[in-house]
Amino acid sequence: MPVIYAARMRLLRSTDLALRVLMRLAVAGESSPTTRDVAEGMDVPYTHLAKVVAELQHMGLLTARRGRGGGLSLTEQGRAASVGAVVRAFEGDGDVVDCEGPTPCPLNSACRLRGALRRAQEAFFASLDPITVADIVSEPTGALLLGISRGP
C-alpha cells in the first residue's frame, strides 16, 4: 500500500518577508526606512531581508537609495502590484509535490493527483491576482501597520 503524505500550503519565508516589506513601505508616507530599520522592526536577519529587498528592487516594486538621506520607498508600480504576481515571483512555478525526486513516484506516468494539485495551486494564485499592495494596507490594516512601524 503506498504511503500518502499530506501537504500543507505554506509560503516561503522570503515570500512572507516580501509582502511584509511592501506593506510596511506602503504606509511609510514620506519617510524612507533603511533595510536595517525594516529588518530590526520585523525582527529578521538583515542579510535575509537584504536579499528580499534586492529582488523587490529588481522587480521595480521599490527603490533603495544609499548614503545620507537614503532608504527604501515603494514605487507606484509597487503600490499597484498584484499580490498574486509577487507571490508567484517568490514562490516560483514548481509543482506542489516532487514526483520525480530522489525516489520517483511509481504512479508518475498515470497520476491524476499532480494535475489536481497544480490546478489548486493556480487557483490559489488566481485568487490573489486581483488584490494589490494598496488593497492589503487599506483600513484598518494601514493604521495598525503605522503603529507597529513607529516602534516603542
Side-chain angles (χ1 to χ4, degrees):
M1 185 97 177
V3 178
I4 299 175
Y5 296 94
R8 183 174 82 184
M9 180 64 185
R10 177 177 227 136
L11 295 178
L12 296 172
R13 179 76 169 142
S14 57
T15 307
D16 173 48
L17 291 176
L19 292 170
R20 291 195 295 147
V21 166
L22 293 172
M23 291 172 70
R24 166 66 177 83
L25 295 178
V27 298
E30 296 299 314
S31 71
S32 295
T34 65
T35 302
R36 191 162 307 280
D37 293 337
V38 176
E40 288 173 6
M42 291 182 171
D43 195 26
V44 298
Y46 168 80
T47 54
H48 192 97
L49 192 70
K51 290 176 189 175
V52 170
V53 165
E55 181 60 26
L56 290 169
Q57 184 177 12
H58 177 75
M59 294 168 67
L61 304 182
L62 62 81
T63 58
R65 291 179 312 283
R66 293 180 185 262
R68 187 177 177 93
L72 304 175
S73 58
L74 192 64
T75 64
E76 283 305 314
Q77 182 182 345
R79 183 170 299 285
S82 159
V83 172
V86 173
V87 172
R88 271 188 192 90
F90 277 85
E91 293 290 313
D93 60 357
D95 286 328
V96 175
V97 293
D98 185 7
C99 301
E100 301 178 27
T103 308
C105 177
L107 300 175
N108 198 10
S109 65
C111 182
R112 299 179 78 177
L113 178 60
R114 186 178 192 178
L117 289 172
R118 170 54 87 173
R119 288 188 298 279
Q121 181 182 27
E122 282 306 313
F124 170 73
F125 290 142
S127 71
L128 296 174
D129 283 341
I131 303 167
T132 67
V133 170
D135 293 335
I136 60 176
V137 297
S138 62
E139 294 305 322
T141 305
L144 183 59
L145 276 167
L146 280 173
I148 293 169
S149 300
R150 287 189 186 112

